[in-house]
């Protein structure tokens, strides 16, 4: 796995934010079609390409947060989600739990329980030890 | 069952090593002594106590050919013990360290040994005949943090080390006068051959495969790293697994690795025909465990409280205690040592852990694993 790029030039950040806005529109349309699982997958995709500064990360978090809050069937969502996304989802769940906002925390906690059952404690450990790729 | 024997020899064991004929085991019971036990008619008898170190002993290795024991301790010293008549006589090795020694291993020819330390250095010690003492040469550069484990390549010259800075490094330890010069592999002492930066968390337990072609080490982020064709263009693979991190690994063959760690049960990893490594199963049970019964009673209480808020008081009874899983070790397994070899394969090995047990394992009873071993 290549080391994540630490420095993002100003214009690169703009490009990333444009991509995120693009994704956001796609997710809104998927949610309108009652496809929350697809929306979450789209939100989580390509996150490692989303490196960079706080602005990019916050923008990305807003998009992922929207998708997470729209999930009603957690079991169904997890069974159709690719295992490679477990680690990144876990990182976003902890970001959600850190917000302290009641509905967000409730939803994140609900998903966290099922995700831990599915992905194991190793998933939580990978979130704890990864100081390079933070979300 | 793969377990052939369980011996409770202390309250907590930091490290252990077997004699060449496997009749005696040297272990450190979490203090500054080395206890040597001999198996006498089915009972373990403490035959020697080696007292010289001032602090906890972090590594023991018993040379199979030379019958010398080398110990490394947090007191920054290392001793080489020789059996003279029936007494173990220590020889101090001045490592010139200013931090604890964390791990030690004899080289394959047993003319050198490597010590990893908290002083961000690896010491390579060799015997100088004229002065009748062990000299230590330090590999000072490159490490950014403590060296947690060292492992010798079968060629007696390359040493791999893992560190808490997340990297695994391979150095040459060529020493003039001790090693034969190889025109194909010209290298200076302390030269960094390869640096593997695969993990973002502490790394432990590096080992070479029997041929020296593959390297395996574990990260504290519950990932095990396999590196094939170690050299200028290595092929690295990460195998992510579910559970708590590993601490040590052992190559039982060129294509199979056993990992041990905080989960108290050895895990088996194997490479298929394409060379892709993956997790096969645990050594403790055959069936895949259903997701609900993963956690012990401590976890279920903690998780219950954690999830109780969201579930508004609904009891979480999907968890069972870990006792039902038939675990042998009750605490973290620290090290795994081979017991017997058949050619380049290892069928029997022993593990020791923080629960003070030494458990002997035999793969003969595991049919599915034997089939994988044969290929």
């Amino acid at each position: 796995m290549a080391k994540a790029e630490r420095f993002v030039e100003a214009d690169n950040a703009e490009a990333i934010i444009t991509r995120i806005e693009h994704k956001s529109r796609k997710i809104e349309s998927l949610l309108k079609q009652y496809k929350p699982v697809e929306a979450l997958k789209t939100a989580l995709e390509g996150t490692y390409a989303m490196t960079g500064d706080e602005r990019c990360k916050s923008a990305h978090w807003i998009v992922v947060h929207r998708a997470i809050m729209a999930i009603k069937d957690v079991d169904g969502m997890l069974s159709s989600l690719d295992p490679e996304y477990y680690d990144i989802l876990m990182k976003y769940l902890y970001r959600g739990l850190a917000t302290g906002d009641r509905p967000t925390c409730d939803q994140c906690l609900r998903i966290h329980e099922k995700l831990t059952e599915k992905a194991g404690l190793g998933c939580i450990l990978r979130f704890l030890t990864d100081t390079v790729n933070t979300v | 069952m793969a377990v052939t024997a369980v011996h409770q020899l202390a309250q907590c064991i930091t490290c252990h090593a077997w004699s060449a004929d496997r009749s005696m085991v040297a272990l450190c019971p979490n203090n500054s002594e080395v206890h040597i036990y001999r198996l006498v008619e089915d009972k373990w008898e403490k035959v020697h106590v080696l007292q010289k170190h001032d602090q906890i002993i972090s590594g023991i290795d018993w040379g199979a050919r030379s019958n010398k024991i080398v110990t490394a301790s947090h007191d920054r010293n290392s001793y080489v013990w020789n059996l003279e008549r029936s007494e173990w006589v220590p020889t101090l090795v001045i490592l010139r360290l200013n931090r604890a020694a964390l791990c030690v291993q004899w080289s394959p020819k047993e003319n050198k040994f490597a010590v990893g330390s908290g002083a961000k250095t690896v010491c390579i010690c060799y015997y100088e005949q004229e002065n009748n003492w062990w000299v230590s040469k330090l590999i000072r550069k490159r490490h950014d943090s403590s060296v947690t484990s060292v492992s010798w390549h079968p060629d007696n010259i390359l040493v791999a080390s893992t560190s808490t800075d997340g990297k695994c490094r391979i150095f040459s330890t060529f020493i003039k006068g001790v090693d034969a010069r190889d025109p194909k592999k010209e290298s200076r002492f302390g030269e960094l051959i390869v640096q593997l930066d695969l993990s973002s968390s502490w790394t432990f337990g590096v080992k070479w495969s029997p041929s020296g072609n593959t390297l395996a080490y574990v990260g504290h982020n519950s990932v095990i790293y396999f590196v094939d064709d170690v050299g200028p263009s290595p092929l690295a693979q990460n195998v992510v697994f579910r559970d708590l991190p590993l601490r040590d690994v052992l190559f039982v063959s060129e294509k199979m690795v056993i990992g041990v760690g905080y989960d108290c049960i050895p895990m088996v990893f194997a490479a298929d025909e394409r060379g892709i490594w993956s997790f096969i199963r645990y050594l403790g049970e055959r069936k895949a465990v259903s997701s609900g019964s993963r956690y012990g009673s401590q976890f279920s209480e903690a998780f219950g409280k954690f999830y109780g808020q969201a579930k508004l008081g609904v009891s979480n009874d999907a968890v069972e205690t870990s006792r039902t899983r038939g675990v042998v070790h009750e605490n973290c397994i620290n090290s795994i040592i081979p017991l017997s070899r058949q050619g380049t394969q290892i069928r029997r090995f022993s593990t020791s852990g923080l629960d003070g047990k030494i458990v002997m394992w035999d793969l003969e009873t595991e049919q599915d694993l034997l089939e994988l071993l044969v290929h």
Side-chain angles (χ1 to χ4, degrees):
Chain A
M1 198 159 83
K3 250 183 120 132
E5 287 287 326
R6 284 187 170 278
F7 304 110
V8 179
E9 306 294 339
D11 46 8
N12 260 3
E14 291 307 325
I16 291 174
I17 301 238
T18 322
R19 255 190 287 167
I20 294 175
E21 278 166 18
H22 200 66
K23 236 207 238 186
S24 172
R25 282 193 287 273
K26 198 161 162 209
I27 285 166
E28 288 300 328
S29 76
L30 282 170
L31 287 176
K32 284 209 182 74
Q33 297 165 41
Y34 299 108
K35 289 192 191 153
V37 183
E38 290 294 322
L40 186 59
K41 277 196 210 172
T42 317
L44 294 175
E45 244 165 23
T47 319
Y48 279 116
M50 306 284 173
T51 54
D53 56 9
E54 266 317 301
R55 258 191 324 155
C56 304
K57 294 195 179 163
S58 301
H60 209 102
W61 160 241
I62 294 170
V63 168
V64 174
H65 178 238
R66 179 94 181 80
I68 286 179
M69 294 311 285
I71 299 279
K72 298 279 183 298
D73 172 24
V74 181
D75 289 308
M77 181 269 286
L78 284 177
S79 47
S80 62
L81 192 66
D82 241 334
E84 58 182 280
Y85 291 116
Y86 289 166
D87 288 347
I88 188 74
L89 177 59
M90 185 60 85
K91 290 184 187 170
Y92 277 114
L93 288 179
Y94 274 101
R95 180 149 183 178
L97 288 172
T99 59
D101 165 52
R102 193 60 201 248
T104 313
C105 287
D106 276 345
Q107 178 75 336
C108 286
L109 206 52
R110 224 170 286 145
I111 302 180
H112 182 283
E113 180 187 2
K114 295 281 152 67
L115 182 60
T116 318
E117 258 179 59
K118 232 177 162 130
L121 296 172
C123 193
I124 298 180
L125 267 154
R126 277 185 285 283
F127 154 72
L128 285 174
T129 54
D130 199 348
T131 47
V132 174
N133 301 313
T134 51
V135 292
Chain B
M1 258 284 254
V3 177
T4 49
V6 177
H7 306 291
Q8 181 82 44
L9 291 174
Q11 250 202 333
C12 173
I13 296 181
T14 46
C15 48
H16 75 291
W18 291 90
S19 63
D21 56 0
R22 308 307 190 216
S23 64
M24 294 197 279
V25 64
L27 54 90
C28 170
N30 204 30
N31 58 18
S32 59
E33 302 172 344
V34 176
H35 294 189
I36 301 186
Y37 286 82
R38 186 200 291 277
L39 190 60
V40 173
E41 288 164 14
D42 269 0
K43 269 180 33 140
W44 286 95
E45 230 180 65
K46 195 190 301 190
V47 289
H48 293 111
V49 174
L50 310 180
Q51 284 164 318
K52 212 63 168 102
H53 284 289
D54 300 318
Q55 284 180 38
I56 204 171
I57 293 172
S58 45
I60 303 180
D61 201 10
W62 198 321
R65 271 181 277 188
S66 56
N67 203 35
K68 290 198 221 274
I69 298 180
V70 62
T71 56
S73 157
H74 286 192
D75 65 4
R76 300 164 287 148
N77 286 331
S78 184
Y79 284 93
V80 174
W81 305 80
N82 281 301
L83 188 61
E84 283 169 25
R85 282 181 285 267
S86 57
E87 283 287 306
W88 285 95
V89 177
T91 312
L92 174 64
V93 180
I94 301 178
L95 297 172
R96 296 182 284 142
L97 288 177
N98 57 7
R99 292 288 185 278
L102 297 174
C103 51
V104 66
Q105 212 193 40
W106 282 112
S107 72
K109 288 202 187 120
E110 289 168 30
N111 54 0
K112 296 188 278 191
F113 62 90
V115 179
S117 77
K120 310 184 201 174
T121 58
V122 176
C123 311
I124 306 292
C125 305
Y126 62 96
Y127 190 63
E128 214 170 62
Q129 190 65 45
E130 312 86 64
N131 296 323
N132 189 29
W133 71 343
W134 290 85
V135 179
S136 149
K137 281 186 88 157
L138 300 178
I139 300 179
R140 263 186 230 278
K141 26 181 201 174
R142 302 304 185 153
H143 291 285
D144 293 322
S145 189
S146 303
V147 177
T148 52
S149 86
V150 287
S151 179
W152 288 89
H153 186 279
D155 71 357
N156 211 58
I157 297 195
L158 295 177
V159 150
S161 69
T162 51
S163 167
T164 45
D165 66 3
K167 303 185 181 42
C168 174
R169 296 175 177 87
I170 298 167
F171 293 95
S172 160
T173 64
F174 177 83
I175 299 176
K176 217 168 84 160
V178 178
D179 296 306
R181 192 164 273 285
D182 183 355
K184 281 178 288 171
K185 295 193 259 181
E186 279 293 327
S187 52
R188 287 168 306 134
F189 180 86
E191 188 184 328
L192 178 67
I193 311 286
V194 182
Q195 177 167 297
L196 300 162
D197 188 10
L198 300 171
S199 177
S200 55
S201 65
W202 304 340
T203 49
F204 297 95
V206 64
K207 287 272 162 46
W208 294 88
S209 69
S211 69
N213 190 45
T214 311
L215 195 66
Y217 64 99
V218 293
H220 212 55
N221 52 354
S222 295
V223 182
I224 179 169
Y225 302 93
F226 295 98
V227 185
D228 289 305
D229 297 328
V230 182
S233 50
L235 296 159
Q237 288 174 52
N238 304 0
V239 176
V240 157
F241 53 87
R242 283 181 62 100
D243 305 300
L244 296 175
L246 298 176
R247 278 306 294 265
D248 202 2
V249 295
L250 177 71
F251 270 92
V252 293
S253 82
E254 198 62 33
K255 298 269 179 223
M256 191 183 291
V257 163
I258 311 264
V260 290
Y262 292 95
D263 246 340
C264 318
I265 301 183
M267 300 171 95
V268 183
F269 298 87
D272 60 16
E273 322 75 50
R274 294 169 297 157
I276 309 289
W277 289 87
S278 61
F279 170 64
I280 306 293
R281 64 174 178 85
Y282 291 99
L283 266 188
E285 66 237 287
R286 282 192 177 269
K287 316 191 285 291
V289 183
S290 70
S291 51
S293 60
R294 288 289 314 145
Y295 311 116
S297 50
Q298 288 174 310
F299 282 136
S300 69
E301 264 176 52
F303 273 119
K305 280 207 192 96
F306 195 45
Y307 298 124
Q309 294 193 311
K311 280 184 169 247
L312 301 163
V314 173
S315 68
N316 195 357
D317 49 14
V319 294
E320 294 157 26
T321 63
S322 66
R323 304 275 167 241
T324 60
R325 283 190 289 155
V327 294
V328 177
H329 274 288
E330 281 153 20
N331 208 327
C332 169
I333 305 180
N334 260 345
S335 65
I336 176 169
I337 313 275
L339 275 179
S340 72
R341 264 171 232 276
Q342 269 167 280
T344 53
Q345 291 179 3
I346 294 169
R347 293 290 170 92
R348 291 169 48 230
F349 54 89
S350 70
T351 55
S352 75
L354 298 181
D355 54 357
K357 292 192 183 152
I358 292 189
V359 180
M360 331 264 252
W361 304 79
D362 191 341
L363 291 176
E364 288 295 331
T365 52
E366 312 290 304
Q367 269 311 113
D368 56 330
L369 297 180
L370 284 182
E371 276 160 39
L372 283 174
L373 260 184
V374 168
H375 295 302

